[in-house]
Each structure stands twice: as structure tokens, then as C-alpha cells.
Amino acid sequence: MVVLAESWFDTGWRDDEWLNRWEIPFGRWVEESIDWLNVHGDRVFAVIEWPFKNLLDLITKDILLNIPWPFMLLAFVVLGFLVRDVKVGLGAAAGIFLCGVLGPDYWRFTMQTIGIILVAVIICVVVGLPYGVLCARSDRVWNITRPFLDGMQLVHAFTYLIAIIFFFGTGPVGGTIATMIFALPPMIRLTNLGIRQVPDDVIEAARAYGASNFRVLTDVQLPLARPAIMTGVNQVLLLALSFVGIIAVIAGGGLGQLVLRGVNTSDPALGAASGLALYLVGVVMDRLSQPDPSDNRTLIRRMGTAVRGIYTVPAVPSAAPAGDDTPVVTRPPRLRLKPTMTVAGGFGLVGGMLAILSAFLTWVKGAGRLSSYARPDDQAINGTFSGIEATGGSWFGTIVLITGVLVVLLSMLVLLRIRDRWSSWLNAPSGLLLTGVVLIGMMAIYLSIDPHDLAGATSHGSGVFLAIVAGAILLLGGLLAWRDYLPAGRMLRAAPVGLLVGIAAVGLLVIGSFANWVNDERPGAFTPEQQQLIDRERANPSPGGVSASLIAQVIGEAQEDPNRYDGFDDQGPAIGWGILGIAIALAAVVLLAAAVPRAGALWDVLTLGIGTAALFGVTAWVVSFLRVSVNGIFTGAGALPVLMACGLIMGTTIGRMRRRSLDEREAADAATVATPLGGAGMGVGS
């Protein structure tokens, strides 16, 4: 026995080499199977490929890429309005528009991405919904299907990408098929789960009334399982979007192709821009596919309600005399204006009309003030330009115009006794105060921008100062009407997180003011100082051939490094001073909010106005650049921390204002319940 044991342990079976002598040729079996299927199953694969190819051609090439971008944005607005509300539609259109302006051909890649996702989602729903119903109706089918679903989700995508390449080739069609395989399991699982969770007593009640199995399915099980099914559709959409980057490996097309190119070339700018575009597409598709949680109607019914404009108006019960058995009549509330509301509406109407008028007046006299940085040809022009012209105020004037139109419309609604609030959380006096701060703050940023050193004589026109006057009138009207809206009793105190967010936002604004705001990467581009030196030497050459060597040295320096101008550079726009002023104003309001928390409602409006002013000012600067910039000149990264600060300020402040509005409504409802029905005060604002 000892000899046998020693000989057994000495055979070397414990070494790795022993395992290497054994090989199960699983990979070769799969390879032979693929070869056989390619030869004998080409017709089957052609049938599978047909719907993907034709749907891709129809949705992507014939529809998405054929429709001009303005009409496509309008379609997103309408779709968001029909599915959710106007705000979702406008947000979806804004997100898609931002994808298109991130770089050359980004609009085409974005539409390709949306097309791939839509085709994958459509086929997943067409296949997954009935198969999920079948799995819910048959335990045997579900037990057989579940291991395959586990494999589809657990096996890495690159594994079956190999089979996709051999059967369907590379390109968008193969990528869409792979996306469908990856995204299909949640649709089947959640459909099966939703139908199985329908209570048995509900199904039995339907059958007791004589409903057939088909009527039970269509009228009972599917409607009750709709939340789970819609969650499955949403999960399919998000999984399809996450797979876009993977199918780029097989030339699947779309934004994933740009992400892959950025990785392969180690290009952080391309990777960041394409990643942002993918994120925006995901957010837009997610919001459009998620219905309002408080609305349990079907999509068709919600669309019909939105088109017909049917909205529920709460009725106010009328008191009946004691002992009277006549039925109580309900009537809608009648709006009664306070004198201060008339003041708010009047100031809003005047200020808004002045803002509209200012956009059409002269903003720039002489050379282009903003455009001279993005388009060097504007440095030599001489003329007068309005607020909405590219060489004038550009998007600063456009935003003033849009703001004025909105203020005029809302003020007319107030004066016509249609409504006394601008939104559910913003009353009319607060809205006037907010827009006044926004216009003044944005115009302060505009006035801080210096003209280009090489530009000719330039000065501000009357439209700039009229816009400031319009903002001051709105601010004054808001302050005058504010006194009747000071909350009484216990106030919403400034939470520590609000103070911390304010400090963080101020820090980001300061960082943004010192960052780069203009980058000139054109080959051989000169700074204003270098250009002035060259012009001076050419006009008055230095003796001894010094001019030629000096000019050559300047040209060599210009070709080495790109020209970047920070927020306080004397040769740049010096926009940092305006951003720094916004940061100081925000810091003052944050400190006042911490010191005097009882006036929190006022501080929140001022904080929101300052943040919105910074957002509009930076957005106007960036979009004005995009409007006229030439190749090689673009805005610097200074806008990024400023936009982050604006997001912090606006998100936190709007949340606080919503909570305060909800508290005020609950207090008003409690007071109404405590007041007898026969008491006075039936009107809104009475």
C-alpha cells in the first residue's frame, strides 16, 4: 500500500502541466456550429435581420435625420406636453438641443442613438410583452424561460457580440440586435411579475361576472399590471442606452462611436462631450417614458385630455341657510385683486414692455463688443447694432426680450383677474422681485465685459441702460407689493445645509471668475499685445535689422502655445469682474439669511434671482460665442464652475420655496376649515 501511494503521488497529477494535457474543445464546437449556421441558416438570419434593418432605415434615416432640427425640437416639446406637461417637453427639447451644439455632427450621432434605442425598445416590447404574459399564464413556460433570461443578463455582452458579428456583421443593424438581446429580459420579467401580482379575488370577481380569459387579461390583469409593465419599458430603454457604448466596438454607430473614439485617441474633450450627450439623451428618454406617478390614466387618455385642455378646477361650497334642505350649490372661486396685486401687475406690465423695447434699441456703437472675441473680422467694423443682433447684444438682448415677454403675459393675467400667482410656488410680487434681480445682475455681467484690445472704438447704446431701468422698475414693483406677502407667525428658518450650499456656490463662482474664458487655438494667432508690437515694428522699424528678428521671435512664440485669457486678463474680456460681483452679492445674501432667518422668504427670492442672473449671463456669453465663433476660437472652462454654482443655488432655493409654499397652503386650508362656511372671504386674495 505504501508503494502504491508513493507511486500515485509521484505521477505528477498535482502539477498544472497535467491539466494542460486535457482540453475540452468547446470553443471549436461553437466555431463549427457558427460555420454550419452561416451556410445553412442564412435565410433564417435574413428574416431576423429584416425588421431591424427596415425599422432603422425608417426611424433614423427617413424620419429623425430628415426632419430639420427646429421641427424636431418642436416635436419633443409636443411629445413631452402630451405625455407629461409643458415643462417636461421644454426640458426634453433643451436637452436634445444641447446635444446638437456640443460639436460637429453631434446632432447626427444623437439622432442615430435615439433611432437605435427606439428600434430596440419597440422590438423588446413587441416580443417581451406577449411572452411575459405567456410566462405569467404558464408556470412550465416560465421555468423553462428563466435560465435563458439569467444567461442573457449574466453573460458578458462581449461574449455574444462575437456571434452577432458572424451572423449579422458589424454596423448599426448588428448593434441594434445585440442591444435588444441585452435589454429584453427586464421586459419579460416585469410583465410576468406584474400579472402574477394581480390579486386572485379580483380575477375571481371578473370571472364571476362571466368574463372570458381574454377579457380578464385585457380588462383586469393588464391594467392592474400597467405600473410594472411601464417600469419594464423604462428599464429596457435605460439598458439600451447603456449598451450604446458597447456596440460601438462593432461600429454600431451613434454617440457610443464618439465615446470609443475618445478612448482610443486619449481625447478627454471628445470623451467628456460625447459622455454628456449620452447622459442628456438618457435623461430625456427616461423622463418621457415615465408618466406622472399621481396620474393613473393610460397614455391615450392623458394625450386626449391634454389636447382638449381639460383641467380640474376645485369648487368652493356655498353655505346653505340653517334648516334649508335645498342642495348645496358649488361654484368655482372668484379671484379678487388686492390693491397691491394691481400695483404688481402694473409695474410688471411697464417693466416688461420696457425690457421688450430695450432689446430692439441700440446696444453697441462701433465695433463688435462681444463678437470681436469670437470673430476677428468684427474688430474692424463700425456701426450701430441692436440687442438681438449677433454683433450687438446677441443672446444677452435675446434673453432680455424673452424675459420681458413672459413678464408682460403674466402681468396681464394678474390684471385680468385670471390668476394671482406666477406658479404654484412663486407669487406675483416675488416674481417681479426675482425678474428685477435677474435683469440687473445679468446686465451687470454684460457691462463688465471689456471690448477686444484690437477692436475699434465701441460704446454702449441706449438699449443697455433701458434694460437696467426695466429691471429696476420690476425690482421696485416687487418690493412695493411685497409687504402684503410677508408671512406671519413661525417662519421657515435657514437650514445649515442652505448656508453650506451657499458657501460652496460662492467658492465655485470665485473659481470661475479666475478661470479661462476665451481660448484662441488658431495656428499662428497673436495676442493683442503681440499684434500691436508687430504693427508698431512694421510701421516704425527698429534700426539694425532688429525688427525682423523681433517679429520672427513673436511669430515663434505664437505658434508654440495657444492664447488663453482668464477672467481678469487685461487683454481678455475681463468677465471675471462681473462674476466676482455676483459672488459678493450672493455671499452678502447668504450671510443675511443666516443672521436674520425670519426674513427667509425674501432672502430665498434674492438668492434665486442672483443664481438665475449668473446662469443667464454665462449662458448668454457662451451661446453668443457659439453664434459667431470661427474655427479655433471657443469659450474657456470658466463657465463650468459658474454653471455648477447656479445649479446648487437654484436647486436648493427652489426646493425651499416649494416647501414654504406648501406650508402656507396647509396653514390657509386649516384656517378655512376652522372658519364657518357663512363667513366672509370667499375669494382668492380677499
Side-chain angles (χ1 to χ4, degrees):
M1 293 294 296
V2 175
V3 175
L4 289 176
E6 290 179 352
S7 62
W8 172 258
F9 278 99
D10 289 340
T11 55
W13 64 273
R14 293 173 297 174
D15 298 333
D16 294 343
E17 292 297 329
W18 186 84
L19 290 175
N20 292 337
R21 292 197 296 267
W22 298 84
E23 179 184 358
I24 299 177
F26 178 76
R28 298 182 183 275
W29 298 342
V30 173
E31 181 183 4
E32 292 179 6
S33 302
I34 291 175
D35 293 339
W36 187 88
L37 289 173
N38 272 327
V39 174
H40 299 88
D42 53 344
R43 294 184 179 180
V44 176
F45 295 130
V47 171
I48 297 174
E49 184 181 2
W50 182 84
F52 291 92
K53 185 177 184 304
N54 286 274
L55 279 176
L56 274 176
D57 291 340
L58 174 65
I59 294 177
T60 304
K61 296 181 180 179
D62 297 339
I63 298 178
L64 295 179
L65 292 177
N66 251 346
I67 299 178
W69 68 268
F71 296 103
M72 183 58 66
L73 296 182
L74 181 62
F76 273 97
V77 173
V78 174
L79 180 61
F81 169 67
L82 294 176
V83 176
R84 292 284 294 273
D85 52 35
V86 177
K87 291 187 293 184
V88 173
L90 292 175
I96 298 300
F97 173 76
L98 185 56
C99 291
V101 297
L102 285 174
D105 290 333
Y106 268 71
W107 180 263
R108 179 170 61 86
F109 285 115
T110 301
M111 293 300 105
Q112 287 180 355
T113 301
I114 295 175
I116 292 172
I117 293 173
L118 288 179
V119 171
V121 170
I122 290 172
I123 295 180
C124 282
V125 172
V126 170
V127 174
L129 182 60
Y131 195 81
V133 172
L134 179 62
C135 291
R137 303 295 289 267
S138 173
D139 291 335
R140 179 176 298 177
V141 174
W142 173 240
N143 291 331
I144 295 174
T145 303
R146 189 165 56 181
F148 291 97
L149 298 180
D150 294 339
M152 293 167 68
Q153 291 185 292
L154 293 176
V155 174
H156 197 277
F158 283 104
T159 303
Y160 54 79
L161 278 183
I162 300 174
I164 292 295
I165 293 174
F166 281 106
F167 292 146
F168 304 102
T170 59
V173 175
T176 308
I177 295 175
T179 303
M180 189 274 292
I181 296 174
F182 180 75
L184 180 62
M187 189 69 220
I188 299 176
R189 289 182 185 276
L190 288 170
T191 302
N192 168 69
L193 180 64
I195 293 180
R196 287 178 180 269
Q197 286 182 340
V198 176
D200 293 335
D201 53 351
V202 177
I203 298 175
E204 293 299 328
R207 288 175 176 167
Y209 280 99
S212 62
N213 288 334
F214 181 76
R215 292 295 301 273
V216 169
L217 174 65
T218 57
D219 295 347
V220 178
Q221 290 178 312
L222 286 179
L224 292 178
R226 191 176 74 90
I229 294 173
M230 291 305 299
T231 302
V233 174
N234 181 259
Q235 290 298 306
V236 167
L237 189 148
L238 295 180
L239 287 175
L241 180 67
S242 68
F243 206 69
V244 170
I246 296 178
I247 63 174
V249 178
I250 60 171
L255 292 168
Q257 205 74 30
L258 297 179
V259 175
L260 181 64
R261 190 184 305 168
V263 173
N264 290 337
T265 59
S266 300
D267 188 346
L270 179 61
S274 55
L276 176 60
L278 271 177
Y279 168 76
L280 292 173
V281 171
V283 171
V284 168
M285 302 294 283
D286 178 61
R287 292 298 178 268
L288 292 178
S289 65
Q290 285 187 353
D292 189 351
S294 62
D295 193 352
N296 292 324
R297 295 170 296 170
T298 63
L299 175 62
I300 301 300
R301 290 181 178 178
R302 289 201 313 274
M303 292 171 63
T305 301
V307 171
R308 294 192 302 271
I310 300 175
Y311 300 97
T312 303
V313 179
V316 178
S318 300
D324 192 354
D325 295 333
T326 58
V328 176
V329 180
T330 60
R331 57 186 175 87
R334 179 179 175 83
L335 182 63
R336 297 180 183 176
L337 286 180
K338 292 183 178 181
T340 51
M341 294 301 297
T342 305
V343 172
F347 272 88
L349 194 61
V350 173
M353 293 179 66
L354 289 179
I356 295 173
L357 178 62
S358 70
F360 295 98
L361 295 180
T362 300
W363 278 52
V364 174
K365 296 179 181 179
R369 193 173 190 88
L370 300 178
S371 60
S372 59
Y373 287 99
R375 188 166 57 188
D377 292 343
D378 288 0
Q379 299 169 6
I381 62 176
N382 186 18
T384 57
F385 308 98
S386 67
I388 59 177
E389 291 184 80
T391 319
S394 193
W395 272 87
F396 281 92
T398 303
I399 292 177
V400 170
L401 174 62
I402 295 173
T403 304
V405 171
L406 293 177
V407 171
V408 167
L409 292 177
L410 293 171
S411 300
M412 290 178 64
L413 293 179
V414 171
L415 292 175
L416 294 174
R417 303 185 181 187
I418 296 177
R419 60 187 304 169
D420 66 339
R421 302 182 71 86
W422 284 18
S423 70
S424 61
W425 52 273
L426 189 67
N427 55 48
S430 300
L432 288 182
L433 193 61
L434 172 65
T435 51
V437 174
V438 168
L439 287 181
I440 294 175
M442 188 181 68
M443 295 311 299
I445 294 177
Y446 176 81
L447 290 174
S448 69
I449 299 174
D450 289 340
H452 200 282
D453 286 356
L454 298 179
T458 179
S459 61
H460 297 294
S462 59
V464 176
F465 303 104
L466 185 60
I468 297 176
V469 171
I473 291 175
L474 295 175
L475 184 62
L476 178 61
L479 290 174
L480 290 177
W482 181 266
R483 60 179 181 269
D484 281 352
Y485 278 87
L486 288 176
R490 184 178 64 85
M491 298 284 293
L492 181 63
R493 293 183 174 271
V497 66
L499 180 61
L500 294 177
V501 169
I503 294 173
V506 171
L508 288 171
L509 289 173
V510 173
I511 292 173
S513 66
F514 284 93
N516 294 329
W517 285 90
V518 176
N519 289 337
D520 188 353
E521 296 188 357
R522 293 174 300 161
F526 302 116
T527 65
E529 183 180 2
Q530 292 171 338
Q531 186 64 53
Q532 291 170 357
L533 177 60
I534 292 175
D535 293 341
R536 186 170 58 251
E537 288 296 327
R538 286 175 177 172
N540 299 305
S542 300
V546 177
S547 295
S549 60
L550 185 60
I551 292 175
Q553 180 182 355
V554 171
I555 293 175
E557 292 175 355
Q559 292 177 346
E560 290 178 359
D561 298 317
N563 300 324
R564 293 187 173 93
Y565 307 103
D566 60 42
F568 300 100
D569 198 324
D570 294 337
Q571 303 179 57
I575 194 175
W577 292 108
I579 302 299
L580 187 60
I582 292 289
I584 294 173
L586 177 63
V589 173
V590 169
L591 293 177
L592 287 173
V596 190
R598 292 189 62 81
L602 176 61
W603 306 134
D604 281 347
V605 175
L606 294 178
T607 302
L608 181 60
I610 293 172
T612 308
L615 174 65
F616 284 179
V618 172
T619 302
W621 167 260
V622 173
V623 180
S624 298
F625 238 80
L626 293 174
R627 188 176 180 182
V628 297
S629 62
V630 299
N631 290 334
I633 303 179
F634 51 91
T635 57
L640 187 59
V642 176
L643 293 177
M644 293 172 61
C646 296
L648 285 176
I649 298 169
M650 298 176 68
T652 304
T653 308
I654 291 176
R656 289 166 55 83
M657 295 176 72
R658 287 181 181 274
R659 292 198 303 271
R660 181 179 289 108
S661 176
L662 183 61
D663 291 345
E664 292 175 0
R665 288 185 180 184
E666 292 177 352
D669 292 342
T672 303
V673 171
T675 303
L677 286 177
M682 297 298 296
V684 177
S686 58

